[in-house]
Amino acid sequence: MGSWLARSRNIKYLLKRNICLFDNKCSSTHSFLHTNSPYKTLPPYNALHGFCASVLSFRRSESSMVGKQAQADDDDEDVDDGNQSIEFPGGRVGFTTQMEFIAEVTDKRVPCYRLLDDDGFLISGTTFEQLEKETAVKMYESMVGLQIMDTIFYEAQRQGRLSFYVTSTGEEAINIATAAALSPDDIILPQYREPGILLWRGFSMEEFASQCFGTKDGHGKGRQMPIHYGSNTHNFLTVSSPIATQLPQAAGVAYSLKMDGKEACAVAFTGDGGTSEGDFHAAMNFAAVMEAPVLFICRNNGWAISTPISQQFRSDGVVVKGQAYGIRSIRVDGNDALAVYSAIHAAREMVVREQKPVLVEALTYRVGHHSTSDDSTKYRPVSEIEQWKSTGNPMTRFRNWVQANGWWMDEQETKLRGAIRKQVLKAIQAAEKTQKPSLEDLFSDVYDKLPSNLLEQEKSLRETINKYKQDFPADVPL
């Protein structure tokens, strides 16, 4: 193709010679060039037509457009021969004689949207979505509730009362501010660090405890690991352990909302580590091509368990990945609750109004360990963790802003923390005394009538338990 264009000098010359390269009316009986053409050694039109069709994949419906546009360009005496373009499937593409590669990285990083400084004071000249007193106070109270719940449940696991737990320490702003900016009808597809969404939507401390302790009252009936919450009532799909599987699912959920004409969107969360999975890229591309109303939110907290972001990707974080797939994107300070609320509010409006996906990268820092199975001091210095606890702490920053507005007092802080602590402890104590799900619940809730293979499995399991009763938990009803 390149040698042929070179011999032809340029597309304009060929069009002037009435070559029917882009004309679907040409037949194989036409000669490639007029008899007076100086290029009689070029292949016949039908051979060239087949070559172009296979290389450029032109559709016949588009070929006439290309010819007309090219002719219009030919009539424009101001157009330089070196700046010709072609109507390729997906949009017009220009030609250049200069060999230029797109740089792997840019010198200037994408800026991060923030409204509050490290001390919680509003930065001058900012524009943001205004918060009413009631919403702002509820946001702060929910952040406190999430923090206390995390602390007590984490301690319970360390005492051996729980098998596993994950905290959201340092990421409270992303949880609560995002929840406040969404509609209750929006469907959440979480990773495992989004309990604040449920807390905001009314999931009780008793429900959190029931799930973590695997009681008969838990939504999952003990069939999931702790912190793998889910609630149909709150439009919160159950957490799945495999990383990033929720992302392509979110694109599908969003497309179903679009088909049903719902004024809602799907909201999918992932960490920076999740963007290294193939599911992330498949989800982004599918959502972009199908124009699915899904809001992708990446918590870039610097670490994928023990792997730093410097070993995950060379790009400028996650936000630039959106442009590669044709998705509008923004980077926001994840430790600034006001900025997160404003950005998510605007992003959701775009997603629902335009029925297109949006990517939000929230820069934050995971202050806590990845989970109770992790010791983060083995791969990062304690001084780094302590610095993030004090500098730019999302809880402190937002509280200072709320107090500066006259909406919060120290007396309220003391009373709130005491009340929440009692509530969490009471929920844990009740969950520990609640009966576990019965054995038959292990096989229920999938089929209306159990198929033969599951009946056989249940029978086999009961026979095994009867044979080795000493190895089976005594608190699980048979």
Side-chain angles (χ1 to χ4, degrees), residues 1-285:
M1 185 68 178
S3 62
W4 177 77
L5 286 175
R7 294 172 67 184
S8 308
R9 296 182 181 175
N10 55 59
I11 294 177
K12 181 186 296 185
Y13 183 88
L14 294 175
L15 290 171
K16 283 183 177 180
R17 288 292 187 178
N18 296 321
I19 295 177
C20 52
L21 175 61
F22 303 114
D23 188 352
N24 61 324
K25 296 181 181 179
C26 292
S27 66
S28 57
T29 57
H30 287 144
S31 61
F32 178 58
L33 293 173
H34 285 292
T35 54
N36 59 351
S37 170
Y39 299 104
K40 296 181 180 179
T41 58
L42 287 175
Y45 163 72
N46 57 347
L48 183 61
H49 180 269
F51 174 74
C52 292
S54 62
V55 175
L56 297 181
S57 301
F58 286 122
R59 294 196 297 268
R60 290 185 179 273
S61 61
E62 296 169 330
S63 61
S64 60
M65 290 177 54
V66 177
K68 291 177 181 178
Q69 184 61 49
Q71 185 63 46
D73 291 344
D74 183 51
D75 294 336
D76 187 355
E77 297 300 329
D78 296 331
V79 175
D80 189 307
D81 286 352
N83 293 328
Q84 291 291 335
S85 60
I86 191 169
E87 186 68 32
F88 191 76
R92 180 165 289 278
V93 179
F95 291 123
T96 178
T97 57
Q98 303 301 314
M99 185 190 300
E100 295 181 3
F101 292 85
I102 298 175
E104 65 275 24
V105 292
T106 58
D107 295 332
K108 186 178 180 180
R109 300 196 66 182
V110 175
C112 183
Y113 174 65
R114 74 170 351 196
L115 299 172
L116 303 177
D117 63 19
D118 288 345
D119 297 318
F121 294 105
L122 197 63
I123 300 172
S124 60
T126 56
T127 57
F128 59 94
E129 187 69 27
Q130 295 295 331
L131 267 176
E132 299 293 333
K133 174 183 177 181
E134 182 180 354
T135 303
V137 171
K138 182 183 177 182
M139 283 174 59
Y140 180 67
E141 289 177 341
S142 298
M143 290 170 72
V144 172
L146 178 59
Q147 183 188 64
I148 294 175
M149 182 182 77
D150 273 350
T151 300
I152 296 177
F153 274 87
Y154 184 87
E155 292 172 351
Q157 194 282 333
R158 284 295 186 245
Q159 294 167 359
R161 299 159 74 180
L162 273 179
S163 62
F164 181 79
Y165 195 73
V166 169
T167 69
S168 301
T169 310
E171 300 176 43
E172 297 90 351
I174 298 175
N175 264 258
I176 303 304
T178 295
L182 298 175
S183 163
D185 295 329
D186 295 332
I187 299 177
I188 308 299
L189 291 94
Q191 189 174 22
Y192 42 63
R193 224 178 287 275
E194 285 75 41
I197 308 287
L198 275 175
L199 187 64
W200 177 269
R201 293 188 170 187
F203 205 70
S204 68
M205 290 297 177
E206 289 75 18
E207 288 176 300
F208 281 114
S210 293
Q211 196 286 326
C212 287
F213 282 87
T215 74
K216 65 179 182 61
D217 297 330
H219 291 272
K221 296 182 179 179
R223 294 173 294 201
Q224 279 276 17
M225 289 174 61
I227 66 92
H228 285 54
Y229 311 110
S231 173
N232 289 338
T233 304
H234 301 94
N235 285 326
F236 192 96
L237 272 65
T238 302
V239 175
S240 179
S241 289
I243 301 299
T245 55
Q246 70 278 7
L247 301 181
Q249 295 168 6
V253 169
Y255 194 68
S256 71
L257 291 173
K258 183 174 185 175
M259 292 176 67
D260 292 339
K262 298 291 183 65
E263 290 292 323
C265 65
V267 183
F269 288 86
T270 187
D272 47 275
T275 67
S276 297
E277 297 286 341
D279 282 347
F280 170 80
H281 302 279
M284 295 280 283
N285 192 57

Side-chain angles (χ1 to χ4, degrees), residues 222 326 409 427:
M409 304 289 289

